[in-house]
């Protein structure tokens, strides 16, 4: 199962990390798409191993641990991953105290296993730090203005709270989970409207004045930025994301790219 991360930027940076496409609804910007294979099924695997096969236990374990997980980083690949291109395997590290000094001075130690709460947080933080790090490389702004979460995990408040902390922005959810079919319907309506007008028109014209009464409306699920310590936490995640990408590159060099 492949899941995708989409973002919008006006300063794209083409790379091997993701796909950069023209934005069909805003010609002045570009879409960035990142593709992953280890999403919900990998979370379920860690849940079954360390959380008694219960999402309630999983969420409790996640909330027992502090953000940044004491420097514990996990790379969990139940299937061959697309980004980064790594084979099946679990890799765990503990990073020394993070400072604003040179990244090379921050050392990591490999571990065989963490305690259950740390395993859960290492998985969730790791997935989101990977998304953030590779999104930045493609030109997406960090922190972004907002994140719109869709899919099954968008109903999990503990996971959304971690998402907001890692990216440093508020997280919203939509009324309906089938965002792909909704997006396809909107694009069809937008294309029809452009043809009818004989020129490109903003997609907002499709639902002008009525989004609050349709499935397009969003709900703020997790705020960010209004509490003391939010900026400091974001800065620490920035350092940890950089360290994660460094370790990730070492893993790619060690195990080679999946053919």
């Amino acid at each position: 199962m492949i899941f995708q991360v989409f973002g919008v930027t006006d300063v794209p940076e083409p790379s091997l990390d993701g796909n950069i496409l023209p934005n069909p609804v805003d010609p002045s910007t570009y879409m960035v798409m990142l593709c992953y294979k280890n999403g919900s099924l990998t979370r379920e695997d860690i849940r079954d191993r360390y959380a008694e096969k219960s999402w309630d236990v999983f969420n409790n374990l996640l909330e027992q641990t502090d953000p940044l997980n004491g420097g514990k980083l996990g790379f969990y690949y139940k299937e061959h991953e697309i980004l980064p291109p790594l084979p099946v395997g679990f890799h765990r590290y503990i990073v020394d105290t993070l400072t604003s000094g040179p990244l090379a001075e921050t050392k990591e130690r490999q571990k065989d296993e963490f305690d259950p709460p740390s395993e859960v947080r290492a998985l969730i933080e790791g997935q989101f730090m990977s998304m953030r790090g590779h999104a930045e490389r493609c030109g997406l702004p960090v922190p972004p203005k907002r994140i719109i979460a869709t899919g099954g995990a968008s109903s999990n408040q503990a996971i959304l709270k971690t998402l907001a902390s890692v990216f440093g922005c508020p997280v919203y959810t939509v009324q309906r989970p089938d965002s792909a079919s909704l997006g396809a319907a909107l694009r069809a309506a937008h294309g029809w409207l452009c043809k009818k007008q004989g020129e490109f028109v903003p997609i907002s014209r499709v639902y002008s004045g009525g989004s609050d009464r349709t499935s397009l409306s969003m709900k703020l699920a997790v705020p960010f930025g209004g509490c003391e310590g939010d900026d400091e936490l974001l800065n620490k995640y920035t350092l940890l994301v950089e360290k994660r990408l460094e370790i990730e590159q070492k893993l790619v060099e060690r195990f080679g790219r999946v053919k």
Side-chain angles (χ1 to χ4, degrees):
M1 180 183 296
I2 294 177
F3 76 95
Q4 298 166 325
V5 178
F6 284 95
V8 177
T9 180
D10 55 3
V11 285
E13 297 182 14
S15 74
L16 295 177
D17 290 57
N19 302 286
I20 296 179
L21 311 167
N23 188 344
V25 299
D26 183 357
S28 66
T29 64
Y30 295 83
M31 294 193 311
V32 173
M33 180 177 69
L34 308 179
C35 297
Y36 294 88
K37 292 183 71 175
N38 288 273
S40 60
L41 295 181
T42 302
R43 289 193 294 271
E44 289 176 7
D45 182 62
I46 296 300
R47 178 203 64 185
D48 293 347
R49 291 171 184 251
Y50 298 100
E52 303 173 18
K53 301 183 179 181
S54 165
W55 284 119
D56 288 336
V57 174
F58 184 96
N59 292 339
N60 287 335
L61 292 175
L62 179 59
E63 293 178 332
Q64 283 178 24
T65 52
D66 293 328
L68 305 168
N69 206 20
K72 299 183 181 72
L73 291 175
F75 300 76
Y76 300 89
Y77 306 120
K78 182 177 171 60
E79 300 183 63
H80 286 202
E81 186 53 275
I82 299 172
L83 185 64
L86 284 171
V88 173
F90 290 178
H91 312 278
R92 302 171 179 87
Y93 297 86
I94 297 180
V95 176
D96 292 338
T97 303
L98 291 171
T99 67
S100 58
L103 195 62
E105 296 180 3
T106 304
K107 304 299 182 182
E108 72 274 3
R109 294 174 284 116
Q110 193 160 10
K111 296 285 290 184
D112 292 331
E113 194 171 25
F114 298 141
D115 59 276
S118 297
E119 290 282 4
V120 169
R121 181 163 286 276
L123 167 69
I124 298 302
E125 285 191 338
Q127 289 184 332
F128 293 148
M129 283 193 285
S130 175
M131 295 176 193
R132 176 184 160 177
H134 290 289
E136 285 185 77
R137 287 180 172 179
C138 291
L140 289 179
V142 173
K145 179 180 178 181
R146 66 188 176 198
I147 289 176
I148 303 173
T150 63
S154 65
S155 62
N156 188 313
Q157 193 70 11
I159 290 179
L160 295 184
K161 184 177 179 181
T162 305
L163 175 61
S165 296
V166 171
F167 276 85
C169 70
V171 175
Y172 290 78
T173 56
V174 293
Q175 287 188 5
R176 57 189 300 164
D178 51 341
S179 56
S181 57
L182 174 61
L186 285 171
R187 279 293 295 123
H190 182 232
W192 173 84
L193 184 60
C194 290
K195 182 177 181 180
K196 180 180 179 181
Q197 297 292 327
E199 61 181 358
F200 179 85
V201 296
I203 193 172
S204 59
R205 291 271 297 277
V206 174
Y207 51 86
S208 179
S211 62
D212 59 332
R213 299 188 300 275
T214 72
S215 57
L216 291 171
S217 63
M218 297 182 296
K219 178 181 71 173
L220 177 62
V222 181
F224 188 90
C227 298
E228 183 179 354
D230 279 353
D231 290 341
E232 181 181 0
L233 180 60
L234 177 59
N235 291 335
K236 289 182 177 179
Y237 269 120
T238 297
L239 295 173
L240 200 57
V241 167
E242 292 177 3
K243 189 62 181 180
R244 180 183 176 86
L245 291 177
E246 178 189 277
I247 297 173
E248 179 184 286
Q249 182 58 36
K250 293 178 182 178
L251 289 172
V252 171
E253 292 172 358
R254 177 181 175 186
F255 294 104
R257 290 182 173 268
V258 178
K259 302 297 184 181

